[in-house]
Amino acid sequence: MIMDIPAKLPRHVSFIMDGNGRWAKSRCLERIRGHFEGVESVRSVLETSVELGIEYVSVFAFSEENWGRPDDEVAGLMTLMMKSMIAEKETFLKNGVHFKVLGNRARLSDELNAAIDSLDEATAACARTTLIIFLSYSGQWDIRQAAAKLAAAGTGSIEDYLVTAGIPDPDLLIRTSGEMRISNFLLWQIAYTELVFTDTLWPDFRKEQYLAALREYASRDRRFGKVK
Ligand code: IPE
Ligand code: IPE
Ligand code: MG
């Protein structure tokens, strides 16, 4: 049970999960071990979000730029994604979590794309919380593909064609590991998002650290350019 629930909760919390490699390195482990441990942090923040009734949780799991990492790390991350989807299915169904993947899906393998579609479909009904995994995603890619679709359609607005169409913009964006940058994550969508940066490495970011960030969010005064 969660004591001291912050008075004002975000509807959509987004995470730039960073620091897995450094977490592993500091323990003389392979980088992939850090990614494995990072999955536990996703489980933890998702479970807490479900408990709190937060509607959308999104995580930046793999950027378009991350394709430029060594082949074994890229392959390890894709395998981890596949294994985690299989392992979490029952928990998603039990907890009412709808699983979604957004990003440049054309770069993913057919096998991974099929597994993603099947889990998305299987978890769509009765969901209380939506988990969005941004995979092979970059903010500039998203704006570029949305602009192209808008030009082709000749009607609508940019928001209608971003991969996040229909999903509320994040209220809170948390980046771990001490880096103070966006690294080509959501660009258009974070226009008025509250930002929290923490030195904690992603594999160490669990319920306690999450609740601290939510308290920080609750203390912010959001004005959206207006006068209060
Ligand atoms: C974040 O951890 C996960 C991904 C980008 C896939 P990193 O792998 O970037 O970890 P550091 O930044 O090297 O510590
Ligand atoms: C951002 O982390 C991407 C993800 C968390 C998926 P990176 O580790 O790739 O970002 P930089 O290179 O430090 O900016
Ligand atoms: Mg990093």
Side-chain angles (χ1 to χ4, degrees), residues 166-202:
I167 295 164
D169 289 342
D171 300 294
L172 170 63
L173 172 65
I174 301 169
R175 182 173 187 149
T176 57
S177 91
E179 308 298 354
M180 308 277 245
R181 55 178 172 259
I182 299 300
S183 300
N184 211 355
F185 187 36
L186 300 169
L187 296 175
W188 182 281
Q189 298 90 335
I190 60 165
Y192 271 104
T193 298
E194 294 297 326
L195 309 176
V196 168
F197 295 95
T198 167
D199 286 340
T200 305
L201 301 174
W202 179 251

PDB file of all heavy atoms in Angstrom, residues 166-202:
ATOM      1  N   GLY A 166      -3.841  10.855 -30.178  1.00  0.00           N
ATOM      2  CA  GLY A 166      -4.866  10.297 -29.287  1.00  0.00           C
ATOM      3  C   GLY A 166      -4.376  10.070 -27.864  1.00  0.00           C
ATOM      4  O   GLY A 166      -5.179   9.784 -26.969  1.00  0.00           O
ATOM      5  N   ILE A 167      -3.075  10.187 -27.645  1.00  0.00           N
ATOM      6  CA  ILE A 167      -2.508   9.975 -26.309  1.00  0.00           C
ATOM      7  C   ILE A 167      -2.195  11.356 -25.716  1.00  0.00           C
ATOM      8  O   ILE A 167      -1.582  12.189 -26.392  1.00  0.00           O
ATOM      9  CB  ILE A 167      -1.218   9.120 -26.405  1.00  0.00           C
ATOM     10  CG1 ILE A 167      -1.571   7.717 -26.917  1.00  0.00           C
ATOM     11  CG2 ILE A 167      -0.481   9.059 -25.066  1.00  0.00           C
ATOM     12  CD1 ILE A 167      -0.385   6.922 -27.401  1.00  0.00           C
ATOM     13  N   PRO A 168      -2.619  11.623 -24.479  1.00  0.00           N
ATOM     14  CA  PRO A 168      -2.317  12.951 -23.925  1.00  0.00           C
ATOM     15  C   PRO A 168      -0.811  13.166 -23.789  1.00  0.00           C
ATOM     16  O   PRO A 168      -0.068  12.218 -23.548  1.00  0.00           O
ATOM     17  CB  PRO A 168      -3.000  12.934 -22.549  1.00  0.00           C
ATOM     18  CG  PRO A 168      -3.226  11.502 -22.226  1.00  0.00           C
ATOM     19  CD  PRO A 168      -3.354  10.769 -23.530  1.00  0.00           C
ATOM     20  N   ASP A 169      -0.369  14.407 -23.960  1.00  0.00           N
ATOM     21  CA  ASP A 169       1.059  14.703 -23.792  1.00  0.00           C
ATOM     22  C   ASP A 169       1.489  14.359 -22.367  1.00  0.00           C
ATOM     23  O   ASP A 169       0.682  14.448 -21.435  1.00  0.00           O
ATOM     24  CB  ASP A 169       1.313  16.198 -24.033  1.00  0.00           C
ATOM     25  CG  ASP A 169       1.152  16.582 -25.503  1.00  0.00           C
ATOM     26  OD1 ASP A 169       1.185  15.679 -26.365  1.00  0.00           O
ATOM     27  OD2 ASP A 169       0.996  17.789 -25.766  1.00  0.00           O
ATOM     28  N   PRO A 170       2.767  13.988 -22.187  1.00  0.00           N
ATOM     29  CA  PRO A 170       3.213  13.693 -20.819  1.00  0.00           C
ATOM     30  C   PRO A 170       3.062  14.923 -19.909  1.00  0.00           C
ATOM     31  O   PRO A 170       3.345  16.043 -20.319  1.00  0.00           O
ATOM     32  CB  PRO A 170       4.699  13.356 -20.986  1.00  0.00           C
ATOM     33  CG  PRO A 170       4.875  13.025 -22.413  1.00  0.00           C
ATOM     34  CD  PRO A 170       3.847  13.802 -23.170  1.00  0.00           C
ATOM     35  N   ASP A 171       2.600  14.681 -18.686  1.00  0.00           N
ATOM     36  CA  ASP A 171       2.562  15.757 -17.687  1.00  0.00           C
ATOM     37  C   ASP A 171       3.915  15.853 -17.010  1.00  0.00           C
ATOM     38  O   ASP A 171       4.339  16.925 -16.604  1.00  0.00           O
ATOM     39  CB  ASP A 171       1.489  15.439 -16.632  1.00  0.00           C
ATOM     40  CG  ASP A 171       0.126  15.331 -17.266  1.00  0.00           C
ATOM     41  OD1 ASP A 171      -0.361  16.356 -17.755  1.00  0.00           O
ATOM     42  OD2 ASP A 171      -0.423  14.206 -17.323  1.00  0.00           O
ATOM     43  N   LEU A 172       4.561  14.696 -16.895  1.00  0.00           N
ATOM     44  CA  LEU A 172       5.837  14.618 -16.186  1.00  0.00           C
ATOM     45  C   LEU A 172       6.806  13.751 -16.979  1.00  0.00           C
ATOM     46  O   LEU A 172       6.443  12.666 -17.428  1.00  0.00           O
ATOM     47  CB  LEU A 172       5.597  13.989 -14.798  1.00  0.00           C
ATOM     48  CG  LEU A 172       6.822  13.592 -13.973  1.00  0.00           C
ATOM     49  CD1 LEU A 172       7.675  14.816 -13.618  1.00  0.00           C
ATOM     50  CD2 LEU A 172       6.381  12.878 -12.677  1.00  0.00           C
ATOM     51  N   LEU A 173       8.028  14.268 -17.166  1.00  0.00           N
ATOM     52  CA  LEU A 173       9.093  13.489 -17.810  1.00  0.00           C
ATOM     53  C   LEU A 173      10.250  13.364 -16.825  1.00  0.00           C
ATOM     54  O   LEU A 173      10.747  14.362 -16.309  1.00  0.00           O
ATOM     55  CB  LEU A 173       9.572  14.189 -19.093  1.00  0.00           C
ATOM     56  CG  LEU A 173      10.813  13.580 -19.768  1.00  0.00           C
ATOM     57  CD1 LEU A 173      10.546  12.171 -20.287  1.00  0.00           C
ATOM     58  CD2 LEU A 173      11.292  14.467 -20.927  1.00  0.00           C
ATOM     59  N   ILE A 174      10.644  12.128 -16.560  1.00  0.00           N
ATOM     60  CA  ILE A 174      11.729  11.856 -15.613  1.00  0.00           C
ATOM     61  C   ILE A 174      12.913  11.278 -16.383  1.00  0.00           C
ATOM     62  O   ILE A 174      12.747  10.312 -17.133  1.00  0.00           O
ATOM     63  CB  ILE A 174      11.276  10.832 -14.538  1.00  0.00           C
ATOM     64  CG1 ILE A 174      10.060  11.369 -13.768  1.00  0.00           C
ATOM     65  CG2 ILE A 174      12.432  10.487 -13.595  1.00  0.00           C
ATOM     66  CD1 ILE A 174       9.376  10.328 -12.885  1.00  0.00           C
ATOM     67  N   ARG A 175      14.103  11.886 -16.235  1.00  0.00           N
ATOM     68  CA  ARG A 175      15.297  11.281 -16.821  1.00  0.00           C
ATOM     69  C   ARG A 175      16.262  10.908 -15.707  1.00  0.00           C
ATOM     70  O   ARG A 175      16.600  11.733 -14.866  1.00  0.00           O
ATOM     71  CB  ARG A 175      16.013  12.216 -17.800  1.00  0.00           C
ATOM     72  CG  ARG A 175      17.236  11.493 -18.417  1.00  0.00           C
ATOM     73  CD  ARG A 175      17.923  12.241 -19.520  1.00  0.00           C
ATOM     74  NE  ARG A 175      18.950  11.362 -20.116  1.00  0.00           N
ATOM     75  CZ  ARG A 175      19.331  11.379 -21.373  1.00  0.00           C
ATOM     76  NH1 ARG A 175      18.785  12.230 -22.211  1.00  0.00           N
ATOM     77  NH2 ARG A 175      20.263  10.552 -21.821  1.00  0.00           N
ATOM     78  N   THR A 176      16.707   9.675 -15.736  1.00  0.00           N
ATOM     79  CA  THR A 176      17.657   9.192 -14.733  1.00  0.00           C
ATOM     80  C   THR A 176      19.095   9.360 -15.218  1.00  0.00           C
ATOM     81  O   THR A 176      19.336   9.730 -16.367  1.00  0.00           O
ATOM     82  CB  THR A 176      17.392   7.704 -14.420  1.00  0.00           C
ATOM     83  OG1 THR A 176      17.469   6.957 -15.650  1.00  0.00           O
ATOM     84  CG2 THR A 176      16.026   7.496 -13.789  1.00  0.00           C
ATOM     85  N   SER A 177      20.019   9.114 -14.348  1.00  0.00           N
ATOM     86  CA  SER A 177      21.473   9.015 -14.587  1.00  0.00           C
ATOM     87  C   SER A 177      22.214  10.344 -14.666  1.00  0.00           C
ATOM     88  O   SER A 177      23.396  10.353 -15.011  1.00  0.00           O
ATOM     89  CB  SER A 177      21.791   8.166 -15.824  1.00  0.00           C
ATOM     90  OG  SER A 177      21.864   8.958 -16.997  1.00  0.00           O
ATOM     91  N   GLY A 178      21.549  11.430 -14.350  1.00  0.00           N
ATOM     92  CA  GLY A 178      22.256  12.706 -14.235  1.00  0.00           C
ATOM     93  C   GLY A 178      22.441  13.484 -15.525  1.00  0.00           C
ATOM     94  O   GLY A 178      22.917  14.615 -15.495  1.00  0.00           O
ATOM     95  N   GLU A 179      22.069  12.887 -16.666  1.00  0.00           N
ATOM     96  CA  GLU A 179      22.214  13.632 -17.931  1.00  0.00           C
ATOM     97  C   GLU A 179      21.060  14.631 -18.033  1.00  0.00           C
ATOM     98  O   GLU A 179      19.906  14.281 -17.822  1.00  0.00           O
ATOM     99  CB  GLU A 179      22.171  12.692 -19.144  1.00  0.00           C
ATOM    100  CG  GLU A 179      23.115  11.497 -19.102  1.00  0.00           C
ATOM    101  CD  GLU A 179      24.579  11.888 -19.041  1.00  0.00           C
ATOM    102  OE1 GLU A 179      24.904  13.079 -19.146  1.00  0.00           O
ATOM    103  OE2 GLU A 179      25.402  10.973 -18.852  1.00  0.00           O
ATOM    104  N   MET A 180      21.398  15.851 -18.421  1.00  0.00           N
ATOM    105  CA  MET A 180      20.372  16.909 -18.497  1.00  0.00           C
ATOM    106  C   MET A 180      20.047  17.212 -19.942  1.00  0.00           C
ATOM    107  O   MET A 180      20.316  18.305 -20.438  1.00  0.00           O
ATOM    108  CB  MET A 180      20.883  18.180 -17.813  1.00  0.00           C
ATOM    109  CG  MET A 180      21.393  17.937 -16.426  1.00  0.00           C
ATOM    110  SD  MET A 180      20.062  17.915 -15.255  1.00  0.00           S
ATOM    111  CE  MET A 180      20.504  19.365 -14.314  1.00  0.00           C
ATOM    112  N   ARG A 181      19.569  16.204 -20.674  1.00  0.00           N
ATOM    113  CA  ARG A 181      19.198  16.422 -22.072  1.00  0.00           C
ATOM    114  C   ARG A 181      18.033  15.522 -22.449  1.00  0.00           C
ATOM    115  O   ARG A 181      17.683  14.598 -21.722  1.00  0.00           O
ATOM    116  CB  ARG A 181      20.411  16.199 -22.982  1.00  0.00           C
ATOM    117  CG  ARG A 181      21.070  14.851 -22.826  1.00  0.00           C
ATOM    118  CD  ARG A 181      22.247  14.651 -23.790  1.00  0.00           C
ATOM    119  NE  ARG A 181      22.963  13.429 -23.498  1.00  0.00           N
ATOM    120  CZ  ARG A 181      24.119  13.357 -22.834  1.00  0.00           C
ATOM    121  NH1 ARG A 181      24.708  14.444 -22.409  1.00  0.00           N
ATOM    122  NH2 ARG A 181      24.689  12.188 -22.592  1.00  0.00           N
ATOM    123  N   ILE A 182      17.469  15.814 -23.622  1.00  0.00           N
ATOM    124  CA  ILE A 182      16.283  15.098 -24.085  1.00  0.00           C
ATOM    125  C   ILE A 182      16.672  13.957 -25.041  1.00  0.00           C
ATOM    126  O   ILE A 182      15.913  13.006 -25.229  1.00  0.00           O
ATOM    127  CB  ILE A 182      15.289  16.096 -24.763  1.00  0.00           C
ATOM    128  CG1 ILE A 182      14.836  17.177 -23.751  1.00  0.00           C
ATOM    129  CG2 ILE A 182      14.074  15.392 -25.357  1.00  0.00           C
ATOM    130  CD1 ILE A 182      14.118  16.659 -22.509  1.00  0.00           C
ATOM    131  N   SER A 183      17.862  14.029 -25.640  1.00  0.00           N
ATOM    132  CA  SER A 183      18.366  12.953 -26.509  1.00  0.00           C
ATOM    133  C   SER A 183      17.363  12.516 -27.585  1.00  0.00           C
ATOM    134  O   SER A 183      17.171  11.317 -27.820  1.00  0.00           O
ATOM    135  CB  SER A 183      18.818  11.742 -25.682  1.00  0.00           C
ATOM    136  OG  SER A 183      19.848  12.110 -24.795  1.00  0.00           O
ATOM    137  N   ASN A 184      16.723  13.513 -28.222  1.00  0.00           N
ATOM    138  CA  ASN A 184      15.823  13.221 -29.341  1.00  0.00           C
ATOM    139  C   ASN A 184      14.632  12.336 -28.957  1.00  0.00           C
ATOM    140  O   ASN A 184      14.123  11.560 -29.757  1.00  0.00           O
ATOM    141  CB  ASN A 184      16.605  12.590 -30.505  1.00  0.00           C
ATOM    142  CG  ASN A 184      16.014  12.930 -31.866  1.00  0.00           C
ATOM    143  OD1 ASN A 184      14.966  13.564 -31.957  1.00  0.00           O
ATOM    144  ND2 ASN A 184      16.653  12.480 -32.929  1.00  0.00           N
ATOM    145  N   PHE A 185      14.187  12.457 -27.713  1.00  0.00           N
ATOM    146  CA  PHE A 185      12.944  11.756 -27.306  1.00  0.00           C
ATOM    147  C   PHE A 185      11.769  12.638 -27.741  1.00  0.00           C
ATOM    148  O   PHE A 185      11.909  13.415 -28.688  1.00  0.00           O
ATOM    149  CB  PHE A 185      12.988  11.488 -25.795  1.00  0.00           C
ATOM    150  CG  PHE A 185      11.859  10.628 -25.272  1.00  0.00           C
ATOM    151  CD1 PHE A 185      11.344   9.579 -26.026  1.00  0.00           C
ATOM    152  CD2 PHE A 185      11.318  10.861 -24.019  1.00  0.00           C
ATOM    153  CE1 PHE A 185      10.308   8.776 -25.551  1.00  0.00           C
ATOM    154  CE2 PHE A 185      10.272  10.068 -23.532  1.00  0.00           C
ATOM    155  CZ  PHE A 185       9.773   9.036 -24.288  1.00  0.00           C
ATOM    156  N   LEU A 186      10.671  12.558 -27.096  1.00  0.00           N
ATOM    157  CA  LEU A 186       9.504  13.362 -27.470  1.00  0.00           C
ATOM    158  C   LEU A 186       9.920  14.828 -27.547  1.00  0.00           C
ATOM    159  O   LEU A 186      10.509  15.354 -26.612  1.00  0.00           O
ATOM    160  CB  LEU A 186       8.402  13.178 -26.424  1.00  0.00           C
ATOM    161  CG  LEU A 186       7.902  11.743 -26.230  1.00  0.00           C
ATOM    162  CD1 LEU A 186       7.016  11.656 -24.999  1.00  0.00           C
ATOM    163  CD2 LEU A 186       7.155  11.265 -27.463  1.00  0.00           C
ATOM    164  N   LEU A 187       9.651  15.486 -28.651  1.00  0.00           N
ATOM    165  CA  LEU A 187      10.037  16.898 -28.794  1.00  0.00           C
ATOM    166  C   LEU A 187       8.772  17.755 -28.834  1.00  0.00           C
ATOM    167  O   LEU A 187       8.550  18.602 -27.976  1.00  0.00           O
ATOM    168  CB  LEU A 187      10.885  17.100 -30.049  1.00  0.00           C
ATOM    169  CG  LEU A 187      12.238  16.369 -30.028  1.00  0.00           C
ATOM    170  CD1 LEU A 187      12.942  16.549 -31.364  1.00  0.00           C
ATOM    171  CD2 LEU A 187      13.130  16.860 -28.892  1.00  0.00           C
ATOM    172  N   TRP A 188       7.932  17.485 -29.800  1.00  0.00           N
ATOM    173  CA  TRP A 188       6.674  18.232 -29.942  1.00  0.00           C
ATOM    174  C   TRP A 188       5.820  18.080 -28.674  1.00  0.00           C
ATOM    175  O   TRP A 188       5.252  19.048 -28.154  1.00  0.00           O
ATOM    176  CB  TRP A 188       5.912  17.682 -31.167  1.00  0.00           C
ATOM    177  CG  TRP A 188       4.649  18.385 -31.456  1.00  0.00           C
ATOM    178  CD1 TRP A 188       3.452  18.218 -30.820  1.00  0.00           C
ATOM    179  CD2 TRP A 188       4.448  19.397 -32.453  1.00  0.00           C
ATOM    180  NE1 TRP A 188       2.518  19.049 -31.360  1.00  0.00           N
ATOM    181  CE2 TRP A 188       3.100  19.781 -32.364  1.00  0.00           C
ATOM    182  CE3 TRP A 188       5.270  19.982 -33.413  1.00  0.00           C
ATOM    183  CZ2 TRP A 188       2.550  20.735 -33.209  1.00  0.00           C
ATOM    184  CZ3 TRP A 188       4.702  20.938 -34.249  1.00  0.00           C
ATOM    185  CH2 TRP A 188       3.370  21.307 -34.131  1.00  0.00           C
ATOM    186  N   GLN A 189       5.764  16.847 -28.168  1.00  0.00           N
ATOM    187  CA  GLN A 189       4.812  16.497 -27.112  1.00  0.00           C
ATOM    188  C   GLN A 189       5.190  17.017 -25.731  1.00  0.00           C
ATOM    189  O   GLN A 189       4.382  16.948 -24.807  1.00  0.00           O
ATOM    190  CB  GLN A 189       4.654  14.968 -27.053  1.00  0.00           C
ATOM    191  CG  GLN A 189       4.095  14.333 -28.320  1.00  0.00           C
ATOM    192  CD  GLN A 189       5.186  13.936 -29.314  1.00  0.00           C
ATOM    193  OE1 GLN A 189       6.283  14.496 -29.313  1.00  0.00           O
ATOM    194  NE2 GLN A 189       4.892  12.969 -30.170  1.00  0.00           N
ATOM    195  N   ILE A 190       6.437  17.479 -25.543  1.00  0.00           N
ATOM    196  CA  ILE A 190       6.822  17.899 -24.183  1.00  0.00           C
ATOM    197  C   ILE A 190       6.824  19.416 -24.022  1.00  0.00           C
ATOM    198  O   ILE A 190       7.453  19.954 -23.108  1.00  0.00           O
ATOM    199  CB  ILE A 190       8.181  17.305 -23.741  1.00  0.00           C
ATOM    200  CG1 ILE A 190       9.324  17.737 -24.667  1.00  0.00           C
ATOM    201  CG2 ILE A 190       8.096  15.786 -23.626  1.00  0.00           C
ATOM    202  CD1 ILE A 190      10.701  17.480 -24.077  1.00  0.00           C
ATOM    203  N   ALA A 191       6.090  20.093 -24.906  1.00  0.00           N
ATOM    204  CA  ALA A 191       6.070  21.568 -24.870  1.00  0.00           C
ATOM    205  C   ALA A 191       5.808  22.119 -23.463  1.00  0.00           C
ATOM    206  O   ALA A 191       6.448  23.074 -23.048  1.00  0.00           O
ATOM    207  CB  ALA A 191       5.034  22.092 -25.862  1.00  0.00           C
ATOM    208  N   TYR A 192       4.877  21.528 -22.730  1.00  0.00           N
ATOM    209  CA  TYR A 192       4.563  22.014 -21.375  1.00  0.00           C
ATOM    210  C   TYR A 192       4.712  20.935 -20.298  1.00  0.00           C
ATOM    211  O   TYR A 192       4.116  21.022 -19.231  1.00  0.00           O
ATOM    212  CB  TYR A 192       3.171  22.651 -21.342  1.00  0.00           C
ATOM    213  CG  TYR A 192       3.261  24.125 -21.665  1.00  0.00           C
ATOM    214  CD1 TYR A 192       2.893  24.621 -22.910  1.00  0.00           C
ATOM    215  CD2 TYR A 192       3.786  25.015 -20.728  1.00  0.00           C
ATOM    216  CE1 TYR A 192       3.017  25.964 -23.215  1.00  0.00           C
ATOM    217  CE2 TYR A 192       3.923  26.356 -21.022  1.00  0.00           C
ATOM    218  CZ  TYR A 192       3.533  26.832 -22.260  1.00  0.00           C
ATOM    219  OH  TYR A 192       3.677  28.162 -22.543  1.00  0.00           O
ATOM    220  N   THR A 193       5.526  19.938 -20.599  1.00  0.00           N
ATOM    221  CA  THR A 193       5.754  18.857 -19.638  1.00  0.00           C
ATOM    222  C   THR A 193       6.665  19.330 -18.506  1.00  0.00           C
ATOM    223  O   THR A 193       7.628  20.050 -18.751  1.00  0.00           O
ATOM    224  CB  THR A 193       6.396  17.671 -20.393  1.00  0.00           C
ATOM    225  OG1 THR A 193       5.484  17.228 -21.396  1.00  0.00           O
ATOM    226  CG2 THR A 193       6.740  16.516 -19.471  1.00  0.00           C
ATOM    227  N   GLU A 194       6.372  18.890 -17.283  1.00  0.00           N
ATOM    228  CA  GLU A 194       7.283  19.164 -16.158  1.00  0.00           C
ATOM    229  C   GLU A 194       8.444  18.183 -16.227  1.00  0.00           C
ATOM    230  O   GLU A 194       8.253  16.986 -16.466  1.00  0.00           O
ATOM    231  CB  GLU A 194       6.542  18.982 -14.821  1.00  0.00           C
ATOM    232  CG  GLU A 194       5.447  19.988 -14.583  1.00  0.00           C
ATOM    233  CD  GLU A 194       5.968  21.422 -14.483  1.00  0.00           C
ATOM    234  OE1 GLU A 194       7.088  21.626 -13.966  1.00  0.00           O
ATOM    235  OE2 GLU A 194       5.245  22.342 -14.932  1.00  0.00           O
ATOM    236  N   LEU A 195       9.663  18.695 -16.040  1.00  0.00           N
ATOM    237  CA  LEU A 195      10.858  17.858 -16.162  1.00  0.00           C
ATOM    238  C   LEU A 195      11.478  17.582 -14.793  1.00  0.00           C
ATOM    239  O   LEU A 195      11.602  18.498 -13.974  1.00  0.00           O
ATOM    240  CB  LEU A 195      11.896  18.558 -17.052  1.00  0.00           C
ATOM    241  CG  LEU A 195      11.410  19.063 -18.419  1.00  0.00           C
ATOM    242  CD1 LEU A 195      12.527  19.814 -19.138  1.00  0.00           C
ATOM    243  CD2 LEU A 195      10.922  17.901 -19.281  1.00  0.00           C
ATOM    244  N   VAL A 196      11.836  16.331 -14.569  1.00  0.00           N
ATOM    245  CA  VAL A 196      12.570  15.965 -13.353  1.00  0.00           C
ATOM    246  C   VAL A 196      13.809  15.191 -13.768  1.00  0.00           C
ATOM    247  O   VAL A 196      13.707  14.195 -14.498  1.00  0.00           O
ATOM    248  CB  VAL A 196      11.692  15.125 -12.378  1.00  0.00           C
ATOM    249  CG1 VAL A 196      12.543  14.514 -11.274  1.00  0.00           C
ATOM    250  CG2 VAL A 196      10.585  15.980 -11.766  1.00  0.00           C
ATOM    251  N   PHE A 197      14.957  15.663 -13.342  1.00  0.00           N
ATOM    252  CA  PHE A 197      16.223  14.969 -13.617  1.00  0.00           C
ATOM    253  C   PHE A 197      16.759  14.435 -12.296  1.00  0.00           C
ATOM    254  O   PHE A 197      16.739  15.138 -11.288  1.00  0.00           O
ATOM    255  CB  PHE A 197      17.240  15.933 -14.244  1.00  0.00           C
ATOM    256  CG  PHE A 197      16.827  16.441 -15.602  1.00  0.00           C
ATOM    257  CD1 PHE A 197      16.165  17.652 -15.748  1.00  0.00           C
ATOM    258  CD2 PHE A 197      17.085  15.683 -16.741  1.00  0.00           C
ATOM    259  CE1 PHE A 197      15.778  18.121 -17.005  1.00  0.00           C
ATOM    260  CE2 PHE A 197      16.696  16.141 -18.000  1.00  0.00           C
ATOM    261  CZ  PHE A 197      16.045  17.360 -18.132  1.00  0.00           C
ATOM    262  N   THR A 198      17.196  13.197 -12.312  1.00  0.00           N
ATOM    263  CA  THR A 198      17.760  12.620 -11.086  1.00  0.00           C
ATOM    264  C   THR A 198      19.073  11.917 -11.402  1.00  0.00           C
ATOM    265  O   THR A 198      19.235  11.360 -12.491  1.00  0.00           O
ATOM    266  CB  THR A 198      16.762  11.639 -10.423  1.00  0.00           C
ATOM    267  OG1 THR A 198      17.455  10.892  -9.421  1.00  0.00           O
ATOM    268  CG2 THR A 198      16.172  10.651 -11.417  1.00  0.00           C
ATOM    269  N   ASP A 199      19.996  11.942 -10.434  1.00  0.00           N
ATOM    270  CA  ASP A 199      21.287  11.271 -10.618  1.00  0.00           C
ATOM    271  C   ASP A 199      21.162   9.750 -10.521  1.00  0.00           C
ATOM    272  O   ASP A 199      22.059   9.021 -10.944  1.00  0.00           O
ATOM    273  CB  ASP A 199      22.298  11.749  -9.553  1.00  0.00           C
ATOM    274  CG  ASP A 199      22.775  13.166  -9.855  1.00  0.00           C
ATOM    275  OD1 ASP A 199      22.650  13.605 -11.018  1.00  0.00           O
ATOM    276  OD2 ASP A 199      23.257  13.833  -8.916  1.00  0.00           O
ATOM    277  N   THR A 200      20.087   9.264  -9.946  1.00  0.00           N
ATOM    278  CA  THR A 200      19.903   7.812  -9.786  1.00  0.00           C
ATOM    279  C   THR A 200      19.993   7.125 -11.147  1.00  0.00           C
ATOM    280  O   THR A 200      19.410   7.597 -12.125  1.00  0.00           O
ATOM    281  CB  THR A 200      18.512   7.528  -9.166  1.00  0.00           C
ATOM    282  OG1 THR A 200      18.406   8.263  -7.954  1.00  0.00           O
ATOM    283  CG2 THR A 200      18.305   6.050  -8.897  1.00  0.00           C
ATOM    284  N   LEU A 201      20.737   6.017 -11.207  1.00  0.00           N
ATOM    285  CA  LEU A 201      20.830   5.250 -12.462  1.00  0.00           C
ATOM    286  C   LEU A 201      19.537   4.437 -12.616  1.00  0.00           C
ATOM    287  O   LEU A 201      18.951   4.011 -11.611  1.00  0.00           O
ATOM    288  CB  LEU A 201      22.050   4.326 -12.423  1.00  0.00           C
ATOM    289  CG  LEU A 201      23.400   5.037 -12.219  1.00  0.00           C
ATOM    290  CD1 LEU A 201      24.527   4.007 -12.050  1.00  0.00           C
ATOM    291  CD2 LEU A 201      23.720   5.982 -13.378  1.00  0.00           C
ATOM    292  N   TRP A 202      19.096   4.217 -13.849  1.00  0.00           N
ATOM    293  CA  TRP A 202      17.796   3.580 -14.069  1.00  0.00           C
ATOM    294  C   TRP A 202      17.607   2.267 -13.277  1.00  0.00           C
ATOM    295  O   TRP A 202      16.563   2.073 -12.643  1.00  0.00           O
ATOM    296  CB  TRP A 202      17.497   3.390 -15.557  1.00  0.00           C
ATOM    297  CG  TRP A 202      16.180   2.718 -15.756  1.00  0.00           C
ATOM    298  CD1 TRP A 202      15.953   1.452 -16.180  1.00  0.00           C
ATOM    299  CD2 TRP A 202      14.885   3.283 -15.456  1.00  0.00           C
ATOM    300  NE1 TRP A 202      14.604   1.183 -16.178  1.00  0.00           N
ATOM    301  CE2 TRP A 202      13.934   2.291 -15.729  1.00  0.00           C
ATOM    302  CE3 TRP A 202      14.453   4.525 -14.960  1.00  0.00           C
ATOM    303  CZ2 TRP A 202      12.561   2.490 -15.555  1.00  0.00           C
ATOM    304  CZ3 TRP A 202      13.085   4.723 -14.780  1.00  0.00           C
ATOM    305  CH2 TRP A 202      12.164   3.718 -15.073  1.00  0.00           C
TER     306      TRP A 202
END
